[in-house]
Amino acid sequence: MEKKDSKKHIIIGLVVLLVILAGLLFAYTRFKPSPSGDNKTVAITVVDSNAKEKNYTVKTDAKYLQQVLEDTEGLTYKGTEGDYGLMITEVNGETADFNKDKAYWSFYINGEYCSYGIAEQPVADGDKFKIVYEVQE
């Protein structure tokens, strides 16, 4: 009798787990950020380690920031792929090496810190992105 009860509890637990996972998947697909339509104008400002700014204006149909960066004439970047997407290590030839001096490139959208990696950060017409060389204290 105990084996049947044990199996019953395991099956109920698995069903509950599947229902929870389905709910989380639904919530993510329902509330994830989505890019806006075509013909967008996006501003990008790069602030280097000397606080010197370089400004770009891009007209694009890109849906995500990484595509916008690729479309931006004169802007270059490099990075390494990690668990959370592409980690930008170099912008316009300047490397930020966190292991060396705790420097990194941070990304802002409309004055707020970006919540997503560049491959998932949606882009809307009129967005203002800032890429800033920062050093953690």
Side-chain angles (χ1 to χ4, degrees), residues 50-110:
N50 295 315
K52 182 179 175 192
E53 293 186 3
K54 179 145 183 158
N55 297 299
Y56 304 88
T57 301
V58 185
K59 294 192 181 291
T60 184
D61 291 334
K63 295 181 179 184
Y64 299 98
L65 179 56
Q66 187 168 2
Q67 295 167 314
V68 173
L69 297 178
E70 291 169 5
D71 292 346
T72 304
E73 192 172 321
L75 186 139
T76 61
Y77 69 94
K78 291 181 185 176
T80 55
E81 200 64 44
D83 292 340
Y84 301 104
L86 186 65
M87 176 69 173
I88 302 300
T89 55
E90 181 182 307
V91 177
N92 290 345
E94 182 170 20
T95 300
D97 186 346
F98 191 83
N99 293 324
K100 181 181 172 187
D101 57 4
K102 298 191 184 228
Y104 60 97
W105 289 102
S106 59
F107 286 75
Y108 296 87
I109 177 172
N110 302 321

